[in-house]
Amino acid sequence: SLENHCRKSCQEQMAEMFTSFLGRRLFIPTESVLNSKLPSPESLRGMVLIKGRRPPGDQAIEDYVYADSSSDEDEAVVGSGGQLLPSTDQLKAARKDYVQLASDLARITLLHGTNFKSWDKSIDSPAYHIHSWSESQVSTILKKKESHHCVVYNKTHLSRVYPGGTRVGSTNYSPVLAWSMGCQLAALNFQTPDAPLRINDGFFRQNGSCGYVLKSRELLDSHFHGEREDLSLTMTIRVISGSCLPKPRGARKGEIIDPYVTVAVYDVLDDEMKEVRKEHKTHFITDNGFSPIWNQEDFKFTVENESVAMLLFTVWDKDVGAQDDFVASAAIPICCIRRGYRSVRLLDANNTRSGPFDFASLLVKIDTEVIV
C-alpha cells in the first residue's frame, strides 16, 4: 500500500525500482483483469500486489492528478471530471498540493483506493477499487445497521480496516468484527504483542499457515442469500494442568512463578453485529511453573459466529501489589476445536515457540454441543 507524496519524476523511479527488484513477483494488471473480477488467491500465489492510484474510467493517466494529503489512510474523493479532491476533513489539515500521477507507476498498480460515497456506487464500482476504513468508521457502519451492505461489497471487492488514529500507544483493535463483515485485510500494529495480535496469529494458523483462510459461504458466494451456515454452540472448558511453564519473557533467573490461566472467547453476535468477549480465569498456584494443577472450574461459553470466533488461553504470573506478568498464550479458531482431552501448545509474546517455550503446554478438557 503506497503512501505516495512524490513528484512525477520520483514516481517514475519508484516504478523502475519495483519492476527491477520484484521482477516476476510483481503482478502487473492487464485490461482484461481490470475489466473483470479480481484474480483468485491461487492464481496470485507468491505475487506482490500494489495498492495506490489508477485513473478512474477511461481518463488518460497524463491528465490525472490527486491531492497530496498528509496520510494515505484518508482516501481522496473523486470530484466532477474524474479529478481527485481532498475531503472536508482533509482540507482542514492537509496541504492543498496536487500531484500528477506517473503512467509507469499507475500501470503496475492493481488496487485503486477510493473514498466511500454510497453502497450502490461502491458495489457497482470496478472490482479493483478498494475501500480503507478506520475502526471508528466500521463502528459507524454498524450503528447505521449497514453491515449487510458491507458483506455484499466484500464478496466482489477488497476492503481494508486499520487502527484508529487515537491509538497513540500503537495498541490494537480486535479483528474479529472486521472478519465477520467479510473484510479481507485487517491491518494491525505488529510492534505491539497484545491480545488482538495473538488472535490474528492464531486465526491464520489455519490452512497450514499459508496466509489465506477461506471465508464462510455466506461471506463468499455472491449468489448465496440463504441462512447462515454457522450453528450456535455451547462450549465447556476445564483447564486441568500445565507443563514446563517458563518465567515471564523466558527469563532464566528470578522468582518461581505463581501461574493462573485466563480463558476468553471473542465472538460476534449476529443479530446485533456486536463483538463480545467473555472471559474466565482459574485460581493461581503458588511457586509452581513446572507442573501446576488446577482442575477445579468448568468454564461455559456460548458461541454464535463459529467461522470467526476465537478462543484465547493466556498464562499469567500472579504478582501481589503489581501488574501480573504475561507468560505465554495460545489462540485457537473455534471452528478448529476438537472435543476431549487436548494438549495446548503455548507461544511467547511474539507468537513463537523456542528456547524456554519449547515444551510449554496446557492440558485441557473441551466439550461442545450444538444448539438446535
Side-chain angles (χ1 to χ4, degrees):
S1 180
L2 300 182
E3 186 169 333
N4 184 6
H5 306 290
C6 299
R7 59 180 182 269
K8 185 178 180 181
S9 60
C10 293
Q11 294 180 46
E12 292 171 346
Q13 289 292 321
M14 291 167 58
E16 181 180 349
M17 294 171 66
F18 280 129
T19 305
S20 174
F21 291 133
L22 297 177
R24 294 182 180 180
R25 294 291 188 183
L26 177 62
F27 181 81
I28 301 177
T30 61
E31 285 300 320
S32 61
V33 170
L34 297 175
N35 294 326
S36 61
K37 63 182 182 180
L38 290 171
S40 68
E42 175 67 25
S43 65
L44 295 174
R45 289 180 64 182
M47 305 297 289
V48 176
L49 312 182
I50 295 180
K51 170 184 173 288
R53 307 289 186 187
R54 289 194 68 93
D58 298 327
Q59 183 179 352
I61 295 178
E62 290 75 13
D63 300 330
Y64 185 73
V65 295
Y66 64 91
D68 181 19
S69 63
S70 59
S71 174
D72 176 62
E73 307 294 10
D74 297 314
E75 301 291 357
V77 179
V78 180
S80 59
Q83 190 181 50
L84 282 175
L85 303 175
S87 65
T88 303
D89 292 337
Q90 287 175 302
L91 284 172
K92 296 178 181 178
R95 294 174 296 167
K96 298 181 181 180
D97 299 331
Y98 291 85
V99 179
Q100 186 175 8
L101 181 65
S103 59
D104 290 344
L105 185 59
R107 181 180 61 86
I108 63 175
T109 299
L110 171 62
L111 301 173
H112 175 66
T114 60
N115 192 37
F116 174 80
K117 289 185 175 181
S118 71
W119 288 113
D120 289 338
K121 290 183 179 180
S122 294
I123 293 172
D124 292 337
S125 65
Y128 65 88
H129 284 198
I130 180 174
H131 285 324
S132 289
W133 291 304
S134 69
E135 56 178 302
S136 60
Q137 289 172 311
V138 171
S139 298
T140 300
I141 292 173
L142 296 176
K143 288 179 182 178
K144 293 182 178 180
K145 300 186 182 302
E146 296 178 346
S147 60
H148 61 287
H149 294 300
C150 188
V151 170
V152 173
Y153 172 82
N154 285 323
K155 290 181 179 181
T156 54
H157 297 72
L158 294 178
S159 66
R160 169 174 166 264
V161 180
Y162 57 90
T166 57
R167 294 185 178 274
V168 293
S170 294
T171 56
N172 284 302
Y173 64 97
S174 171
V176 173
L177 189 57
W179 295 335
S180 71
M181 297 166 60
C183 299
Q184 297 87 351
L185 308 173
L188 298 174
N189 292 312
F190 268 59
Q191 68 270 33
T192 305
D194 51 11
L197 193 62
R198 296 175 197 126
I199 289 173
N200 184 79
D201 179 83
F203 186 75
F204 286 98
R205 287 183 183 271
Q206 298 180 73
N207 202 17
S209 298
C210 72
Y212 290 100
V213 174
L214 190 65
K215 293 194 287 187
S216 58
R217 186 182 175 192
E218 66 271 13
L219 296 179
L220 186 65
D221 189 349
S222 59
H223 301 291
F224 180 77
H225 302 288
E227 294 295 325
R228 185 174 58 86
E229 289 184 319
D230 289 346
L231 296 175
S232 299
L233 57 89
T234 58
M235 184 169 58
T236 304
I237 298 176
R238 171 172 287 214
V239 180
I240 299 174
S241 63
S243 178
C244 301
L245 304 181
K247 293 178 174 58
R249 295 172 293 280
R252 294 186 177 184
K253 297 181 180 180
E255 296 180 348
I256 301 175
I257 64 173
D258 305 323
Y260 68 92
V261 181
T262 59
V263 184
V265 167
Y266 294 75
D267 193 13
V268 175
L269 301 180
D270 289 313
D271 294 338
E272 306 174 39
M273 283 305 293
K274 177 182 178 182
E275 182 176 354
V276 292
R277 173 180 176 270
K278 185 175 182 180
E279 181 180 279
H280 297 285
K281 69 178 181 179
T282 68
H283 61 285
F284 70 91
I285 304 295
T286 304
D287 292 342
N288 189 348
F290 184 70
S291 58
I293 297 177
W294 293 280
N295 198 25
Q296 289 186 8
E297 304 95 343
D298 286 330
F299 304 141
K300 295 185 181 297
F301 302 91
T302 299
V303 179
E304 289 199 14
N305 206 323
E306 183 184 359
S307 62
V308 298
M310 294 293 298
L311 173 64
L312 180 63
F313 293 97
T314 309
V315 180
W316 300 89
D317 177 20
K318 180 68 175 180
D319 284 335
V320 178
Q323 184 176 0
D324 296 344
D325 294 320
F326 171 84
V327 177
S329 69
I332 307 170
I334 297 294
C335 60
C336 297
I337 292 293
R338 293 185 293 174
R339 300 172 62 185
Y341 291 92
R342 300 294 170 186
S343 177
V344 178
R345 290 156 49 96
L346 297 173
L347 307 173
D348 63 16
N350 296 313
N351 293 308
T352 59
R353 183 177 167 87
S354 61
F357 296 85
D358 273 337
F359 303 100
S361 63
L362 296 175
L363 179 63
V364 302
K365 182 182 179 184
I366 301 175
D367 288 316
T368 59
E369 182 178 356
V370 175
I371 301 176
V372 180

